[in-house]
Amino acid sequence: MFSLDHFKYNTQNQTASGTSNNEDLPSWDLSDLYPSPDSPELKNDLEKAHLKVEAFAANWQGNLREASGQELSMAIDLYQEISEILGRVGSYAQLMFATDSTDAKVAQFYQYINEQITNISSGTLFFTLELNRISEEELQAKLSNEALLSWKPFLDSIRVFKSYQLNDEIEKVLHEKSVTGRTAWSRLYDETLASMQVTVQDEKVTLGEALNKLSSADRQMRENSAKGLGESFNGNIRLFSLITNTLAKDKHITDEWRKFPRVDSERNCDNMIEDEVVDALVNAVTQDYQRLSHRYFTLKAKWLGLDKLQHWDRNAPLPDDTDQTIPWEQAKEIVHTAYNEFNPDMGSMIKQFLDQPWIDATLRPGKSSGAFAHPTVPDVHPYILLNYHGRNRDVMTLAHELGHGIHQILAAKQGYIQSNTPLTLAETASVFGEMLTFQSLLRSQKTPEQRRIMLSRKVEDMLNTVVRQIAFYQFERKVHEARQTNELLPDEIGNFWMETQQASLGPAFEFTPEYKSYWTYIPHFIHSPFYVYAYAFGDCLVNALYKVYQDGHENFQEKYIEMLQAGGTKKHKELLAPFGLDASDPAFWRKGLDVISQFIDELEQA
């Protein structure tokens, strides 16, 4: 049934898609998943999943309501086994595509695997739908079985969507058409970005290189890069607007069928977080724009000797900040030391990532311009992708993604379907890892000037994580709410972007016309609508959590590791309770934002 014969690859290239001129940077080796795209192991897994799904549907479809607690537990065990096989295959294809989405054969393989997974998994679609048709009383009776009780977090994560699910036929159509709908549009977006060439000072560079130049100490270089990016984004503006309009309308149609009350309701349900908690976060950050970003960027304009900052000055280094290139080996040592000082067990996990071919940091055309940690499956380690240019921010990105990696390894004990953490908590370990690395570096600074530079870098990272991401969230809300009635012109989308950016960054900035198209390169808008507030949630949470650690909270390290090990088995209230924190309390967000404000206070006094 599954023919992989036409996917032939040279297996010696599996560690890197394309050649790299960055010999000192690592490329990952995906053979821990599969030897090659045309390997018998991969083909066998697809066939195995297909047979298991057929048996699964024959045994359980229509029978879940009458099943005992023990029987229902056995069904979930098998569902997890099938999901894990498909997760392994899907991870392999996705990771290959991330390293070179411009390779036609890689893109073809990626699409083929997506279609196969969608076809196979449609046979299990009945399972979660039928679980939600079991009444609360019946389910509570079944949960008296100890084996089923261990699956309660999974059942809770399914039943949060109970009131929004449609009938089986509609759900099946939505599922099967996803490969020609959202997935196809997302792939078009990724391939367009990956193949984009930006002209900077008469030189053609990749999108990632051009974005990196926005952090150059040379203001003319920053301006040229910004204008080159604007030209490239505007050259594709009709396509990006079409993709955005199509996906926003597609989401609106589905949301209306499901009767979600808000444009972000599906994301909030998926994150197992109440709408009022999201609103409290967004309102707290918005009310603090002046105290945080407006105040800091007024300082930065003064430091740079400018009356007004242009948008290409946002990430400019300070005049005394040489931001010397940090070799990869030194970056590894910096991050490993920070984690090891906090907890030697975590230091050992970091070392394993850094010693094994689990990280792809090499710069190459066609590679994804962002960074991520992909958890794959519990019996295989996560993989980390980043583009290492040797800047301080790249070291922090390494610390961030390794935090994700540690979280994913620790949570793997919960099994494939319960190890996955809601986005709001998934950012905790990554942002905490950044904070550990920052504090370790801050302690090593020998002069007040070095400390000021370190603090300014951290404040900018925090503003990017908190203020910028909440502005992104507000932009998304404007786009999705407006798209419910009419298709949006590129100019209208650009106006929403400019409104939210001006409000968040403040009066220290001027925005030239090309900035109106800069929304186009943010992949979260396409792949994961309303993902972005999770970054702000994670940063504020970590600020509050780190303060608890600094205050000498008893057994903090042990409790922190237990929190990460919980994966998706606990909600945010349960996870934060051992530290005396509560995200539903408005004062919680003030604690996190106060940390940023206090750093700015110190910079004002320097």
Side-chain angles (χ1 to χ4, degrees):
M1 179 176 178
F2 304 105
S3 175
L4 293 172
D5 293 341
H6 58 296
F7 294 113
K8 295 296 182 186
Y9 290 82
N10 182 348
T11 55
Q12 69 184 13
N13 290 332
Q14 291 310 297
T15 59
S17 186
T19 14
S20 165
N21 55 5
N22 316 103
E23 298 300 332
D24 56 330
L25 295 177
S27 296
W28 57 33
D29 181 351
L30 300 181
S31 61
D32 285 346
L33 290 168
Y34 294 102
S36 69
D38 57 341
S39 66
E41 293 90 339
L42 193 152
K43 179 180 179 181
N44 290 341
D45 271 356
L46 285 172
E47 290 174 344
K48 186 197 303 182
H50 173 67
L51 293 173
K52 282 183 178 293
V53 166
E54 285 187 337
F56 181 72
N59 289 331
W60 296 108
Q61 192 162 7
N63 299 324
L64 295 183
R65 189 170 179 179
E66 290 74 32
S68 67
Q70 182 66 38
E71 289 170 334
L72 198 54
S73 173
M74 291 167 57
I76 298 175
D77 285 338
L78 185 53
Y79 177 77
Q80 175 170 258
E81 191 178 329
I82 292 166
S83 300
E84 188 165 340
I85 294 170
L86 296 178
R88 187 185 192 110
V89 175
S91 292
Y92 183 68
Q94 184 179 344
L95 292 170
M96 282 195 65
F97 186 69
T99 54
D100 190 358
S101 61
T102 58
D103 185 313
K105 288 187 72 66
V106 169
Q108 182 190 33
F109 173 71
Y110 176 64
Q111 180 66 15
Y112 172 80
I113 292 299
N114 276 335
E115 291 177 7
Q116 293 304 315
I117 289 174
T118 301
N119 290 339
I120 296 169
S121 61
S122 65
T124 67
L125 194 61
F126 76 90
F127 189 62
T128 55
L129 302 178
E130 285 192 28
L131 284 175
N132 277 346
R133 285 199 286 269
I134 299 173
S135 72
E136 198 58 36
E137 295 75 18
E138 290 171 320
L139 184 60
Q140 289 305 316
K142 296 178 194 296
L143 284 168
S144 62
N145 177 268
E146 190 175 335
L148 183 61
L149 188 61
S150 69
W151 287 115
K152 188 175 184 302
F154 165 70
L155 293 168
D156 288 345
S157 70
I158 296 299
R159 290 173 76 81
V160 74
F161 291 99
K162 187 176 189 297
S163 58
Y164 306 117
Q165 80 178 29
L166 306 172
N167 70 50
D168 292 13
E169 286 189 357
I170 296 177
E171 292 286 1
K172 192 169 188 293
V173 169
L174 290 174
H175 179 73
E176 293 187 353
K177 282 184 66 64
S178 65
V179 292
T180 55
R182 172 167 290 281
T183 303
W185 287 103
S186 295
R187 176 185 162 189
L188 175 61
Y189 174 82
D190 287 344
E191 291 184 4
T192 303
L193 277 190
S195 62
M196 190 178 289
Q197 294 284 298
V198 180
T199 302
V200 180
Q201 293 178 335
D202 299 324
E203 179 189 3
K204 293 279 188 183
V205 300
T206 65
L207 174 62
E209 289 176 285
L211 290 169
N212 184 57
K213 291 178 188 296
L214 293 179
S215 300
S216 170
D218 181 345
R219 193 170 192 231
Q220 188 62 55
M221 174 64 78
R222 296 198 303 271
E223 180 178 352
N224 291 339
S225 300
K227 291 184 173 177
L229 284 162
E231 287 174 9
S232 294
F233 295 150
N234 278 304
N236 291 277
I237 196 70
R238 291 183 62 189
L239 174 60
F240 288 134
S241 298
L242 174 61
I243 293 171
T244 299
N245 270 290
T246 303
L247 291 178
K249 187 62 178 178
D250 178 77
K251 182 180 183 304
H252 172 57
I253 292 168
T254 307
D255 282 356
E256 280 206 315
W257 275 90
R258 296 192 186 283
K259 296 183 169 52
F260 280 121
R262 302 175 11 161
V263 291
D264 62 339
S265 289
E266 182 179 14
R267 175 64 64 200
N268 298 347
C269 287
D270 198 46
N271 284 340
M272 301 290 283
I273 189 170
E274 302 79 10
D275 289 347
E276 55 268 25
V277 173
V278 176
D279 292 342
L281 166 64
V282 173
N283 291 337
V285 175
T286 304
Q287 289 166 12
D288 257 7
Y289 279 172
Q290 186 170 354
R291 185 170 77 118
L292 302 178
S293 52
H294 294 192
R295 187 160 62 112
Y296 173 76
F297 285 114
T298 299
L299 267 179
K300 184 165 186 175
K302 183 177 76 172
W303 292 334
L304 293 174
L306 300 170
D307 293 329
K308 287 283 187 179
L309 297 172
Q310 298 296 332
H311 68 86
W312 55 78
D313 296 318
R314 184 172 59 83
N315 287 329
L318 299 189
D320 297 325
D321 184 356
T322 55
D323 199 14
Q324 294 176 339
T325 300
I326 302 169
W328 175 251
E329 290 301 318
Q330 185 181 346
K332 288 164 56 178
E333 181 60 30
I334 289 169
V335 175
H336 175 259
T337 298
Y339 276 94
N340 198 61
E341 287 174 346
F342 173 72
N343 181 270
D345 290 338
M346 291 177 68
S348 297
M349 282 185 268
I350 291 292
K351 191 171 189 308
Q352 198 172 14
F353 272 99
L354 297 174
D355 290 347
Q356 300 294 327
W358 301 352
I359 299 176
D360 194 309
T362 306
L363 309 175
R364 68 172 76 85
K367 181 181 173 183
S368 172
S369 61
F372 61 75
H374 189 91
T376 66
V377 290
D379 66 343
V380 178
H381 53 84
Y383 282 94
I384 288 173
L385 179 143
L386 68 152
N387 293 273
Y388 191 77
H389 297 273
R391 294 189 181 277
N392 180 269
R393 281 192 174 92
D394 297 321
V395 178
M396 291 299 170
T397 299
L398 177 63
H400 181 103
E401 300 306 338
L402 284 169
H404 279 308
I406 283 178
H407 196 176
Q408 292 157 2
I409 285 177
L410 290 172
K413 62 184 287 188
Q414 304 297 342
Y416 184 72
I417 61 177
Q418 290 195 148
S419 61
N420 193 32
T421 308
L423 294 177
T424 43
L425 296 167
E427 292 302 327
T428 304
S430 54
V431 178
F432 196 84
E434 281 190 73
M435 180 64 86
L436 289 174
T437 304
F438 163 72
Q439 293 288 356
S440 177
L441 285 172
L442 190 64
R443 288 192 296 271
S444 69
Q445 303 309 303
K446 295 179 172 55
T447 68
E449 186 55 34
Q450 288 175 332
R451 182 179 175 86
R452 183 174 76 94
I453 289 169
M454 280 296 302
L455 276 176
S456 69
R457 289 174 180 170
K458 183 58 178 174
V459 167
E460 291 193 21
D461 286 341
M462 295 170 100
L463 293 177
N464 284 336
T465 306
V466 177
V467 170
R468 187 164 165 81
Q469 301 304 322
I470 292 302
F472 284 176
Y473 168 84
Q474 292 170 323
F475 165 74
E476 282 190 279
R477 286 204 68 156
K478 287 176 181 288
V479 169
H480 281 266
E481 288 168 357
R483 182 62 185 94
Q484 291 177 355
T485 50
N486 286 305
E487 178 165 305
L488 302 174
L489 297 172
D491 209 44
E492 292 176 288
I493 301 175
N495 286 339
F496 289 145
W497 174 255
M498 295 293 267
E499 286 171 23
T500 53
Q501 292 300 295
Q502 286 170 338
S504 63
L505 291 173
F509 277 91
E510 284 181 345
F511 296 95
T512 51
E514 77 273 353
Y515 193 62
K516 206 171 187 178
S517 63
Y518 267 58
W519 59 271
T520 57
Y521 84 93
I522 311 298
H524 300 80
F525 300 156
I526 303 301
H527 295 296
S528 308
F530 303 104
Y531 181 116
V532 289
Y533 74 72
Y535 289 110
F537 189 110
D539 197 276
C540 288
L541 189 157
V542 164
N543 289 344
L545 199 60
Y546 196 84
K547 182 69 167 61
V548 171
Y549 168 56
Q550 281 184 315
D551 290 345
H553 186 84
E554 188 176 2
N555 298 323
F556 181 91
Q557 284 91 332
E558 290 82 355
K559 290 178 182 178
Y560 178 74
I561 289 174
E562 285 173 9
M563 180 178 74
L564 301 186
Q565 288 173 332
T569 63
K570 293 182 180 179
K571 298 179 183 177
H572 61 85
K573 280 183 180 290
E574 299 171 90
L575 290 171
L576 294 178
F579 305 98
L581 298 172
D582 180 4
S584 64
D585 180 357
F588 171 82
W589 302 113
R590 175 63 57 183
K591 287 180 185 176
L593 297 172
D594 281 349
V595 172
I596 308 174
S597 182
Q598 286 160 11
F599 284 161
I600 300 173
D601 290 345
E602 183 174 341
L603 288 170
E604 281 184 327
Q605 293 160 13

